[in-house]
Every structure is written in structure tokens, then in C-alpha cells.
Amino acid sequence: MALAWAAAALRAAVGGGVRGAARPRWAQDLPRFCSTQETPKDPPPAPSPYQERPWEYLESEEYRATYGDKPVWHGYRRNHKGSVPPQRARKACLRRGKPVGNPCPICRDRNLLVDFRNVKLLDQFICPHSGVIFHPIHTGICLKQHKRLSQAIAQAQDHGLLWLRVPFVPVPEEDFSNQHAAVGKTPPAPALREPGRAWYPWYEWQQPPAAEVARMRRLYRGFLKENYPDNPPSPSGK
Amino acid sequence: MAALGSRGSAALPSRLRALWALPARRALAADAGAAEGKAAPPKPAFTDEAVQTLLYKMTGLDLRKVFRPVKKDLKPPHYKLMTEAQLEEATRKAIEEAKTKLIMPPVLNEREPIDDVLAEDKVLEGTETAKYVFTDLSYSIPHRERFIVVREPNGVLRKATWEERDRMIQIFFPKEGRKVIPPTLFKDENLGTVFQQDRHEDVLNMCIAQFEPDSPDYIRVHHRTYEDIEKHAKYDLLRSTRHFGGMVWYLVSRKKTDGLLIDMINRDLLEDATSLITLYHMLHPECQSAKEAKEGKLQGVDLIKVFVKTESQREGYIQLALQAYEEAMATSSAS
């Protein structure tokens, strides 16, 4: 109790003198280890204004001023030790909600949204000569974005918004007359032709021959119920 | 662009003609029977040799378009030094290869749906919750003779529908360029975006890869493409491709030949215009211009003029185009 009062007094004294400049860590109002006070979190980043229509950003002045005519990944460099850059792309630019230093070209701009409808952005990551998606090491994007980009490109090609290489399929040489029984009409079975008739004869009750009934009666003479009819009712549900 | 090489006879091999002629011959027999012995000439089919010759002549053979560069994996360029004789030999081989690429895909009627029930086993009702599809996986039988049956949860054993058949065959015997679930771009609302990019030929090639020639989707996509081309007069997109013949057949059957005729006259393809009118007369022999042409045995520009007067809706435009052509011919012959 006394210690807390003394610390508060010291903090007030220091705070009064060093107004405006950054206070030392021991003087800041940070919660201590194992304290029940909640850590002040940064406010969540505002969503991009182009959320609904991501293709409009690529026509805007802001985009032109930032990137000009070059693709968005032009000039991006990984930071690494040594002369040879790492031959593996980064896994993700957001680790536990926090961005890494030097995020990839897509993650660093919140308005660049990977969507199958903004074809201009997707086109920048496809080779104009061979039609192949660039490797993430070449463009510098993280693997998470590369996966989302590949899926968006496949979806755009599926919808017809992006060019897709069509292999030349020669004209099929088949018999198109459809005469074979596999694809043509087959005459229906007798049971289907007559509506009342059951498919298998044993679906309906079949009266056994009288000699068999008599034999069974003789065999189980002592165990049959009295007045048990020769023609018991058929069980329900056929 | 002047076409290199000669325009020879029909490119359709005889074995294909024999295979596809089966429905045509049956249809012809049916038509002859229905005519009640009036001795009416049978209606020409797509596979007839005369029709195929005309369509092949109209398609043209532009080697620069057939062998145009496409996007593929990059390789360093390959140069060859050739003599004149070697160059001619190489051109001849290229023309042979182009002829195989220009074989026209079949034009068939829509297939009849399959709805045959093979058995009804009420004993099995309630035992299963899902349908079972049984496919015959023998390797050497053609896909159209493959038995594929479905056991429903209520015990009914029926033959699989055409869509189920196509899906199962694609799962077990995958074909290049075909997906199990057709791409969304074949839906009517998405076809518009592709047509705006002028990719009609790509759509038709993908359609041939994806669907069977007698499936309703194949026919629908082809008809949509032809309608769009006719609406915007983009006939040149399909020239020197294997789809041009199908498009001409579609337009002539429905008597929508005016735009195509204007396009041909504007490009100075008078022989193609006369072939088109000849095909029209073959398909519609009862029309006025057919009778006049037969009586007068007209050729060339006279045939076109008679056709324009009697059958066309856009008479003015075609007359203008013909006048422009004749003036151009006159100036070129005078100078």
C-alpha cells in the first residue's frame, strides 16, 4: 500500500517534468505481468473502401500515383542476409494478427483485394507470353496470398473473365445413332407393363399345396393353436 | 487476306460420313414416308457430300490463321534454311495438317432422354439413404455401349440419365479438356462476357471438348454463339476455322443469310456468295429464287441479284454492296 503510494507520487513527479517526450517504460501506465487489467489493443484496421467493388481501385488516381503503369509487385525486394535471396516464399504476412516487417505487395496495400472479378490485378500475376502464373518467389508475395490468387484465377477462368488455354480436341468419331441397349429404349419387363402385377411372385401371398399344409399340421400336431386357419392373413407391408 | 493453297474437295473422311449418315439416312427415310408417296426430293443433310463441299469452299484455308501462334511454354525460336522445293513441300504438308484441323464437328438433333426402369425391388425400400450408381468399367467397349444403372433408395433400378452417364464416364475415363462439372461460362448469363471479348472460337472449342455433340448444352451454346455473331456481323472470326460450316448451316436453315452475304460481297468473295446461294436453294427448293435460277440456269452476279430481289430482307444494303463491288471491278479493270 505504501509502496503503491510512493510509486504513484514518483510517477506524477516525473510525468509533470517530462511532458511531451516519451516516458521511460517503468513510468508508463502499462499493465504489469499477470495483471488483470486488459492490454490496450490497437484499433482494428479500417476496412478498405473498395470492399464491394475491388476493380475500381485499379482505375483510381491513388493507384496510378502509387504504382504508375508497372505491376504492383515491381520493385519489391525481400530483406535477407547475403547475396542470394531466400528460395522459399514467406508463409504469411500476418502472424498472430500482427503484420511482419516488409509485407508482400498484396498485403501491404489494403485496397488490393484478391477477387475473381478484378481481372486487371489478376492479369499482373500471369505471364503475358506463356499464360502461366508467376512463382511467388518471382513476385515476392506470401504463400497464403499466392494460394488465394491461384484460386481466384481459376475461378475467373471458369467464369470466362480470363483467357484460358483450350486444347485442340479432334472431332469425336463415334456412332451417334444411340441404337445400343445401353442408351436406347428397352421394352419394359412384364411386371412393369401390367400395373397390378407384383415384381416377384413371392411379394404376394401364395397358397401352399394342401398336402404340404396337412403334413405340417401332422408334424406340429401338439403345438398348433386351436382353430388356426389354413389360410392365415398376409403380413402388412407385403 | 488471300488464302494460301488450293481449296480442294470436302475434307470429311468417308468413315466419318458413314458413321454420321446413320441418323440422316433414317431421317430421310422418315421424311420420304411422311411425304405420302408424293416423290418429293429428300431434304439434304449436313453430311451430304455436295453440302460438305460447299461448306468447305466457304470456310477457306488461311494458313496464317490456322497456325497462328498461341500462348504456351516459352522455347527459343527455331530457324530453318530451305530451298524453294523444300518450302513448297513444307507448305503442302502444312495444308494437309490444316485440312485435318478443319474437319467440321457433327450437327445432330438433341438426344432423347433415357428414362427406362429395369426393375422395382420393393424389398430394398428403406435399407439405404443414398443412390448407388453402377458403371460397367470394361476398357474396350465404346462409351455409348456402356451400361450405367442407378439403384434409388426406394428400390427402383433404372438406367442413368444422359447427364449422369457423362459425369460417370468422365470420372472413370477422363478426357483431356473436359471437366466433371461443366464450367460456369457455359451458362447464358456468362456467355455474354466472353462474346464481348470476341472469343467465340475459344467458346466453341471448349464446348466441343466439354459436351457430347448431341447434348442439349452443346446445341444451346452453339446456337447462342451463332446468334451473337449474326447480330454483330462478326463472321470473319470463324472463317478458316472448323466452326464456319456449322454456322452457315444454321443461318441457311433459318433463312438469316443477309448479313453473311453482305460481309462476303464487301470482302470480294463472290464465289463464296454464289456457293451460299446454291446451298440456300438446295435447302429451300420451293422458294422463288430457286425456281428462277433453275429455269434460267443463272451464274455468278445474276444469281445474287435474283436472290436479293426475291428472298432477302435487307435488299438495299446488298444492292449497295454489289454496286460498290462492281465499281471497284470496273476501276481495277480500266486501270
Side-chain angles (χ1 to χ4, degrees):
Chain A
M1 177 70 177
L3 207 60
W5 179 86
L10 187 60
R11 218 177 292 141
V14 171
V18 194
R19 209 169 285 286
R23 290 154 72 190
R25 198 178 168 80
W26 54 265
Q28 286 170 14
D29 291 321
L30 291 171
R32 312 268 180 86
F33 182 63
C34 288
S35 84
T36 48
Q37 207 181 349
E38 275 179 16
T39 45
K41 287 198 173 72
D42 296 327
S48 160
Y50 298 97
Q51 198 74 28
E52 304 297 319
R53 289 173 302 278
W55 52 90
E56 282 180 8
Y57 175 60
L58 274 89
E59 318 281 340
S60 65
E61 287 299 321
E62 201 184 331
Y63 175 87
R64 191 165 290 284
T66 323
Y67 299 104
D69 288 329
K70 301 264 170 58
V72 297
W73 48 266
H74 180 86
Y76 174 80
R77 270 198 73 155
R78 294 283 299 278
N79 296 327
H80 57 91
K81 285 197 286 198
S83 59
V84 176
Q87 294 302 303
R88 246 187 300 177
R90 193 190 276 133
K91 195 165 165 187
C93 289
L94 270 176
R95 296 265 183 181
R96 293 178 180 217
K98 293 198 186 79
V100 296
N102 196 26
C104 70
I106 297 181
C107 296
R108 67 185 173 187
D109 192 342
R110 68 166 187 173
N111 296 323
L112 283 177
L113 296 161
V114 172
D115 194 84
F116 76 94
R117 291 167 295 177
N118 59 346
V119 176
K120 284 195 175 164
L121 178 64
L122 300 180
D123 258 333
Q124 291 176 4
F125 291 89
I126 300 175
C127 176
H129 308 291
S130 62
V132 147
I133 308 178
F134 286 126
H135 203 276
I137 298 173
H138 181 73
T139 50
I141 57 177
C142 56
L143 286 175
K144 192 162 117 184
Q145 290 294 345
H146 178 74
K147 189 166 177 180
R148 290 189 63 222
L149 188 77
S150 311
Q151 284 168 353
I153 288 174
Q155 213 181 348
Q157 284 169 344
D158 195 54
H159 281 262
L161 301 164
L162 268 184
W163 175 89
L164 175 66
R165 181 160 169 256
V166 180
F168 177 80
V169 172
V171 161
E173 296 182 21
E174 283 171 26
D175 178 24
F176 294 111
S177 58
N178 293 342
Q179 293 293 303
H180 195 260
V183 294
K185 300 278 182 201
T186 41
L192 286 172
R193 269 182 266 138
E194 299 146 29
R197 194 168 143 176
W199 187 265
Y200 296 109
W202 44 264
Y203 274 163
E204 290 159 353
W205 169 251
Q206 289 167 317
Q207 179 63 27
E212 275 297 313
V213 174
R215 195 172 79 94
M216 286 294 138
R217 279 188 173 275
R218 213 175 28 242
L219 209 57
Y220 298 103
R221 219 177 349 223
F223 305 97
L224 285 176
K225 281 186 204 165
E226 287 174 6
N227 305 324
Y228 192 73
D230 280 341
N231 201 356
S234 57
S236 61
K238 293 182 280 281
Chain B
M1 180 70 209
L4 295 166
S6 60
R7 298 178 186 190
S9 58
L12 196 64
S14 51
R15 62 179 193 289
L16 284 177
R17 247 182 274 138
L19 277 174
W20 300 342
L22 277 167
R25 295 241 170 82
R26 274 193 293 114
L28 287 173
D31 281 355
E36 292 173 342
K38 260 190 172 179
K43 218 164 163 169
F46 184 73
T47 45
D48 288 350
E49 194 162 336
V51 172
Q52 284 288 313
T53 327
L54 285 172
L55 291 174
Y56 182 73
K57 261 202 298 184
M58 280 192 263
T59 312
L61 186 66
D62 186 3
L63 285 177
R64 295 248 164 108
K65 188 166 173 190
V66 174
F67 295 114
R68 66 175 175 274
V70 290
K71 282 191 208 176
K72 51 196 283 199
D73 298 328
L74 287 176
K75 272 188 285 198
H78 192 67
Y79 299 103
K80 275 186 187 169
L81 284 173
M82 289 197 216
T83 60
E84 280 287 336
Q86 281 171 336
L87 182 65
E88 273 172 27
E89 176 68 24
T91 319
R92 194 187 57 79
K93 274 199 192 145
I95 290 171
E96 291 297 320
E97 209 184 301
K99 279 188 186 163
T100 54
K101 281 195 164 179
L102 288 184
I103 293 175
M104 291 180 226
V107 173
L108 303 165
N109 295 326
E110 217 174 288
R111 57 197 177 191
E112 303 276 330
I114 306 175
D115 48 9
D116 281 342
V117 170
L118 301 171
E120 279 180 11
D121 293 313
K122 301 270 190 311
V123 205
L124 298 171
E125 203 165 339
T127 50
E128 302 286 344
T129 49
K131 290 188 244 183
Y132 281 80
V133 181
F134 297 93
T135 318
D136 179 10
L137 292 182
S138 321
Y139 192 69
S140 53
I141 45 170
H143 291 318
R144 297 224 168 206
E145 293 176 19
R146 207 173 278 284
F147 279 96
I148 302 181
V149 296
V150 175
R151 173 76 76 181
E152 304 259 356
N154 60 0
V156 157
L157 183 71
R158 59 170 175 87
K159 284 190 196 166
T161 58
W162 279 110
E163 290 80 34
E164 286 165 352
R165 283 189 68 88
D166 288 337
R167 257 204 337 260
M168 288 295 128
I169 289 169
Q170 178 57 19
I171 288 171
F172 292 112
F173 303 96
K175 212 169 140 192
E176 201 205 344
R178 193 179 280 206
K179 293 191 187 158
V180 177
I181 297 166
T184 39
L185 82 87
F186 289 121
K187 294 196 176 131
D188 281 327
E189 52 267 18
N190 297 337
L191 278 175
T193 15
V194 194
F195 291 153
Q196 270 168 10
Q197 298 168 22
D198 277 355
R199 277 170 52 199
H200 299 74
E201 196 196 336
D202 285 338
V203 166
L204 291 178
N205 282 334
M206 286 172 82
C207 187
I208 292 179
Q210 179 65 38
F211 299 116
E212 293 287 311
D214 53 358
S215 81
D217 283 316
Y218 178 99
I219 293 168
R220 176 184 57 86
V221 171
H222 273 71
H223 287 189
R224 268 293 303 269
T225 316
Y226 298 149
E227 292 285 334
D228 189 81
I229 289 179
E230 206 255 324
K231 193 166 133 195
H232 300 284
K234 291 180 183 169
Y235 305 99
D236 204 45
L237 285 172
L238 289 192
R239 232 179 227 120
S240 288
T241 62
R242 53 186 177 163
H243 312 290
F244 196 77
M247 182 184 76
V248 171
W249 179 260
Y250 174 84
L251 294 174
V252 172
S253 315
R254 282 152 186 82
K255 298 194 178 179
K256 288 183 185 171
T257 48
D258 294 331
L260 183 55
L261 201 57
I262 296 170
D263 185 74
M264 280 171 172
I265 297 172
N266 284 339
R267 287 174 204 273
D268 296 339
L269 298 165
L270 260 292
E271 296 151 4
D272 288 353
T274 44
S275 317
L276 177 68
I277 295 170
T278 323
L279 184 67
Y280 190 101
H281 291 166
M282 277 167 74
L283 268 178
H284 306 283
E286 72 286 349
C287 72
Q288 180 85 23
S289 74
K291 289 177 190 151
E292 282 182 34
K294 209 167 156 183
E295 283 160 24
K297 289 199 184 25
L298 302 169
Q299 300 289 329
V301 189
D302 305 317
L303 191 65
I304 304 175
K305 285 187 181 154
V306 158
F307 178 82
V308 163
K309 262 193 240 106
T310 51
E311 291 295 326
S312 65
Q313 274 103 41
R314 284 190 261 176
E315 210 177 309
Y317 289 105
I318 308 182
Q319 299 279 15
L320 272 172
L322 268 174
Q323 265 176 11
Y325 171 76
E326 278 167 356
E327 277 162 25
M329 289 293 288
T331 48
S332 66
S333 61
S335 63

